[in-house]
Amino acid sequence: MTTSGSLLKFSGHLHFRHRIVLSILSGKPVRIDRIRSEDKDPGLRDFEASLLRLLEKVTNGTVIEISYTGTSVLVKPGVVVGGSITHDCPLSRSVGYFLEPLIMIAPFAKKPLNLTLRGITTDDRDLSVDLIRTVTLPHIQLFGIDEGLELRIKKRGAPPLGGGEVQFLCSIVKQVKTLDFVEPGKIKRIRGISHAVRVSPQFSNRMIEAARSVLNRFIPDIYLYSDVYKGEESGKSPGYALSLLAESTTGALHCSEAVSKPGVPPEDIARQATYALLEEIKRGGCVDRSHQILVLLMMVLGSEDIGRCRMGEPSPRTIQFLRDAREFFGVSFKIAKAESTNPDSTDLIFSCLGIGYVNANRTLA
Amino acid sequence: MEGEPHKAHRPAHSGAKAEKKKVKGKGKEKQTGFNEKAFAPKSGRRAEKQGRRNVEREQTRLHVPLVNRTPDDQPPPVIVVIVGPPGVGKSTLIKSLVRRYTKQTLSEIKGPVTVVSGKKRRLTFVECNNDLNSMIDIGKVADLVLLMIDGSFGFEMEQFEFLNILQAHGFPKVIGVLTHLDLIRKQATLKNTKKMLKKRFWTEIYQGAKLFYLSGVLNGRYPDREIQNLSRFISVMKFRPLVFRNSHPYVLVDRLEDLTPREDVRASDGKCDRKMTVYGYLRGTNLRDRMKVHIPGVGDFSVATVSVLKDPCPLPDVESEKRRKLSEKKKLLVHAPMSDVGGVTYDKDAVYINVPGNFTRDNPDVTQGEGEKMVIDLQDAHETLDTAVARSQIRLLGSSSKILAIGTDSAGEDMSVDDLSGDESESEVSDESSFTEEDMTDAESDVYGGDEEFEEGCSGSKTTGDRGRTAVRNRQRSMRGLLTASKPAAEIDFADSDSELGLDEAGDGERGKFNHFSRSRNEDPNHGLGDVENSDETPLDVESDVPGWKVDLQVRAAEIFNRHATRKNRIDWMKMIYSSDRLPEYIASGSSVKTDEMEGKDPDEEFFRLKPAATVEEDKDWDMSKEVYTDNVLTKWENEELLDPLRSLFITGQQASGDVDEAGSPYEGDGGEFEDLEEDGGEGFHDSDAPGTRPEDPEEAHRAALSAKKEALKRKFDEQYDDPETQKLDFYDERKDEMARQSELNRAELEGIDAESRILIEGCRPGSYVRIELDSIPCEMVEHFDPTYPIIVGGLLPAEERFGYVQVRIKRHRWFAKTLKTNDPLILSIGWRRFQTVPIYSLDDHSIRMRMLKYTPEHMHCYATFYGPVALPNTGFCAFNSLSGDAAGFRVSATGVVLDIDRSTKIVKKLKLTGVPIKVFKNTVFIKDMFNSALEVAKFEGADIKTVSGIRGQIKKALAKPEGAFRATFEDKILMSDIVFLRAWYAVQPRKLYNPVTSLLLSDKGKWTGMRLTGQVRREEGIRTPIDRNSTYKPIEREGRRFNPLKIPKKLQAALPYASKPKLMKAQHRQTYMQKRAVVLEPEEKRAIALLQQARVLRKDQIARRREKKEGKRTEQRKKAAKEEEEREAKDKEKRKQYMRVAGMKRQREGEREEGRTSKRSK
């Protein structure tokens, strides 16, 4: 009836995930045109189609129309249902690609979500399951979504063949809390997980050694866990990776990761991860750069109060997200320098008035 | 009589009485005041009990703390609704109240009337007519209800209905007002009536609810004293925020204008969709950009534009109080555009201006009303708008000699409409009629050449044809698009940098100089350089520009400029993200760089734009969340020197927290002089009014540091030694503190920013007077507009725009006469909406299934599921079968609450399939007549079946031969005569009917009819109900069942043990011994028997006589009772007669009053 009037149109394949997420949360139908229309392989990729299929499983009444060429998609979102769902992810992307949008949606479902994803657990494009477990989940905990929130890594799967399995559990909330997080604090501890599957466990220890050689000068409180999966749990392909996270006194998290590449010694991989962590720390803010969108989305959905968060400079994805959030929810952020007296600081304070999003899918009684 | 004050008591100061009192008083002196002994507990146990009770009582007072979204400083007017049946005195009460507040007498009240009632409070009075639709709408927005009750008549059905509507949508405050008490002559009756009505009112609202008594009418108003009392009550009333209103923005429309071009209306014969603006105070929460609204009685609309207007009825502040003259005291503010206040009456399509007596222009001693002023202003305009615009000249810079030419776009249409619609108070001040303002600014920009004027002129010229001030941002964009279409690209850049300047300049101390710099930079259209070059180059530009005496300041200037440039980011980020079309990649990569290098995304330009380089595309192809670091970003960390500065970010770093506290800059130690200068500059920039507030004195700084240290130590000590339990607040206080903190943060965060970006960030705030423009409004709304029917614009949350199946918990109202039936249409009022839909009632069947109910249960809640617009769970609603005024009885048919929203339903009803055996083996049976095909059987394989006698079985497999027959097994052998049935559950879907109640579109607003029931249609059309022959009842013929005797073979019988042997004996054929013998009695035996016989007869006779006697008595009694009954009946009849007489008299009076009113009006 009124749906035709509120149809939002976008073009291009970029920012596909957060647009779909915004559409599902706001309930506004969205049409995305010109998806790789200029490409020699036009249309949706298999992982995008798979994501749409997954979202169809999670929701009830969602209508997804994909054009014949696959270059345009129309999504009329339904009600987020949740429940127990299993999904096999394609090998072109890791499960992180699918988990990220679902983490944004899951708290607003009808029933607590129990999602099992199978596929690659760590690759160099998306957040690995380790980072999602140790960094992404604490980020949503800031908004009062904490009980029943869990990610279990049952099996690890390295690219190219994958074979990993994770279980994501998320409870539902009525409304997310407002965030006021402007004090970045100082880094008080560094943690890390170095894992190796189907290779010598020594690789993992070598990575830890290399990372410590750089980080030890800053802080003594460093624990890097060596996490070696064996046998059935180690997936189908060999691989190893190091993920690091630094936690500040106020609970701000920064993370980095590096994944094994053929022909690169584990020490170099570890150094890459370490330097990336330093880069991330230097960028400052209270929120990790790869989690800006998640935090901003939750701020938009928060109660009708001012939410504030200090962040480093927004990434291009964040900028597009801010624009899209305005399209979907009519929310604009106030973006101000965090320290107006300090010329070196690039930190910004993002503040917005939440829309007071209430989980309408929740059942009473 | 009431008006006269009683004479005060004057105690004697001298004389005998005074003496006596003095003596008495001396003894009593001790006794005065609180006697603590009297209330002291007698025992420790009692003291404990008392204490506990006090604490419990304290707790009952507390409510769950709710955040109030309405701002405290400028709250919207409180909506006071006056409700009651016709003729009860609603208009009189409003008139009296308005007169109490404004000292003006309004002749006719139409629509809302807003008045200022105190320093912090304004009131909007609305009269609610007797239509149920109006009552529903007004009940959703009312803050305070004055429920008027005719004292001489009592409560009426509509009032109870209204109270039930209120209850369903969050109960606002209700004050009862009893009128027409002067019609009751007898004092005792009056007292009784008051008592009775109060009791009834209290049961409806709560024990002790306030009820006012208004005696007769004087001069068309209620007595001043009583009104004053009432107004005092209104002014001290506190309001608890209601959940629904605290989460939705809404506007009670107090004025509306049709902005459709007259030509369109004429061309379409008045049938085209209208463009309309509505005005009113925003209440509830913030009204944001892109919000959808619902107008109850009309439909859903998306808001075209919202603009905040000048408050037409502002709260008094210090300024206005200073300006107020003594003579104005008489004329207090009242805002009632739909009534005839202020000399201007707004009709549907015209404006009438009242001019008292004769009228001359330029008469100084006659104060001009707003209407007159407006007309005079209009007359003063000697030329049309486009000539004025054409004449106006704008110079871009103070020093520039050329005049900027403006393409005279056709903005005239809007303007002319605006003039037609005619604004009252904003005519000169606000942007509403931008005619005069633009003229003025244009003229000014001619005369002066300063920066500010340039700014104003520029913005003025940009917003030519714009009506709202708030939506400038959007407009600017569209205007820019318009400009790009007609102008060369160089000028686009130009215009862009201008607006930037405008933003930059807010609160800029050393504006002139820096602006000059940035302008010189921005004006260069080919400036596509990187960060470093840019900052290097600009000082050079400066050098060439500025005279020689400033050269020694170059370093400083460059420094400040750089800081300025970086600080500009603050504005740039918002601007670049929200009001430029640049690709995110460019913004992110060159954030601190350029503001020019415009990446236009206009359709024209896109045509010619080269595809972005493949490198950008490639790594963006993947929508990755992980950052991709190029090698040099990471390898730079191999440099050990770079690692050291990072130490400060760790807790182990050298910088103690004290340093950061001090100045926030880690380079405090070096170069004191330079630092000072920078500090100064920064301070000055930040707050130009108070430069150099920082204490320079090192001693003072030392002292401050010392005191801070002491403070910290003290805090630490306190923390250690104070009991943490006593510090801890309870839940209530904690929540309150939290809320206060958050609201303080909300206030502080949005304080410093300019109005425009404030509206961008938070939307319009509640309390502001807004003008909402709506497109494609049905023409009937405008054509059949009636100010006595309230119009509400309610904002919708994102979830509420959608449709789906809504599950509610519902209970039929106990006063509603009929039960509700599944699939009968029902009119619901949920959220803002009123609509008709078809619900299906259901009950939870052992938590296994939702089972459909044909009718709602008698005294129980049940579930109902219907298709319609979604409302958030926990929203209350009420339901009606009919909204028309002539429906008999109580109209609220049910109330309830929303539980769940989904896109599918799980309601089932029972379906029994029956079949009969065709062949019975031992446990295997062939059954037919249950299904029609083997396919159907296949679908039900494995299903449980049962015989009527309770033997359970299972469907096995379809048979080949009779189509639809199947093989089944049972736990025991069944009979051929058994009926086998399969209990299945059949899913029922609610019908997708959503029929909004569009009562405001009707000319006769009470006559809305929705979908009718079949029976209703048949009755109205005179169609007979078709009878299905198969459905008629026929006498059931059941032939008696004959059971064959059980036969046990002799052999088996013999083999059985005794216990199991059949024990059936044959009846005896031969006569017994006794039967064969005759009995002869002895004479005395005979006599004895005869005697007994006689005694029995006597006794029987006695009983019969006694019974007869009793029966006689009873008939007597019955006769007496009948007689009494008759008498009572007669009495009742008399009573009823009396009552009807009174009612008739009242109606007659009413009629007379109506007549009187109309006749008065005609006079």
Side-chain angles (χ1 to χ4, degrees), chain B residues 668-685:
Chain B
E668 185 84 12
D670 48 356
E673 203 179 327
F674 177 71
E675 193 58 37
D676 268 355
L677 185 136
E678 195 177 270
E679 248 359 290
D680 242 355
E683 210 67 39
F685 187 86

Side-chain angles (χ1 to χ4, degrees), chain B residues 1069-1104:
Chain B
H1069 296 299
R1070 284 173 296 176
Q1071 279 188 320
T1072 56
Y1073 174 83
M1074 283 301 289
Q1075 280 168 341
K1076 283 181 198 161
R1077 278 14 169 224
V1079 180
V1080 181
L1081 292 176
E1082 292 292 316
E1084 52 261 44
E1085 268 181 338
K1086 238 182 201 171
R1087 241 178 291 128
I1089 286 171
L1091 191 66
L1092 276 176
Q1093 183 73 24
Q1094 280 164 1
R1096 235 178 262 136
V1097 168
L1098 274 177
R1099 176 71 187 152
K1100 243 185 199 166
D1101 182 55
Q1102 198 182 6
I1103 287 170

Side-chain angles (χ1 to χ4, degrees), chain A residues 39-88:
Chain A
D39 207 292
K40 63 175 182 289
D41 178 16
L44 288 172
R45 295 266 188 273
D46 60 344
F47 53 86
E48 284 158 346
S50 174
L51 177 67
L52 288 177
R53 228 171 291 130
L54 174 58
L55 290 174
E56 209 168 19
K57 280 186 205 168
V58 176
T59 56
N60 180 17
T62 303
V63 178
I64 297 174
E65 286 169 21
I66 302 176
S67 71
Y68 185 70
T69 52
T71 53
S72 91
V73 180
L74 173 69
V75 179
K76 288 183 193 157
V79 166
V80 187
V81 173
S84 147
I85 291 158
T86 310
H87 186 72
D88 286 319

Side-chain angles (χ1 to χ4, degrees), chain A residues 14 17 60 93 100 110 123 186-187 217-218 257 289 304-306 323 333-334 351 353-354, chain B residues 69 288 577-578 582 620 622-623 625-627 640 647-649 652 742 746 900-902:
Chain A
L14 295 175
R17 283 186 293 170
N60 180 17
R93 293 305 284 263
E100 278 179 57
K110 198 178 280 299
D123 76 351
K186 296 195 171 227
I187 306 295
R217 77 192 66 199
F218 294 114
E257 190 175 42
R289 195 165 150 96
E304 287 182 308
D305 288 310
I306 292 285
R323 288 180 177 171
F333 277 81
K334 178 190 166 194
S351 48
L353 193 72
Chain B
R69 301 285 173 207
R288 286 167 190 268
I577 290 171
Y578 289 123
R582 218 169 308 172
K620 291 294 147 206
W622 288 96
D623 190 15
S625 38
K626 209 190 264 182
E627 195 79 0
E640 292 283 324
R647 280 181 201 277
S648 64
L649 296 173
T652 48
Q742 183 67 51
N746 295 353
D900 189 25
I901 291 148
D902 213 336

Side-chain angles (χ1 to χ4, degrees), chain B residues 654-695:
Chain B
Q654 275 82 34
Q655 251 75 26
S657 58
D659 274 356
V660 179
D661 281 356
E662 293 253 332
S665 68
Y667 316 112
E668 185 84 12
D670 48 356
E673 203 179 327
F674 177 71
E675 193 58 37
D676 268 355
L677 185 136
E678 195 177 270
E679 248 359 290
D680 242 355
E683 210 67 39
F685 187 86
H686 208 62
D687 184 11
S688 56
D689 295 335
T693 46
R694 174 168 285 275

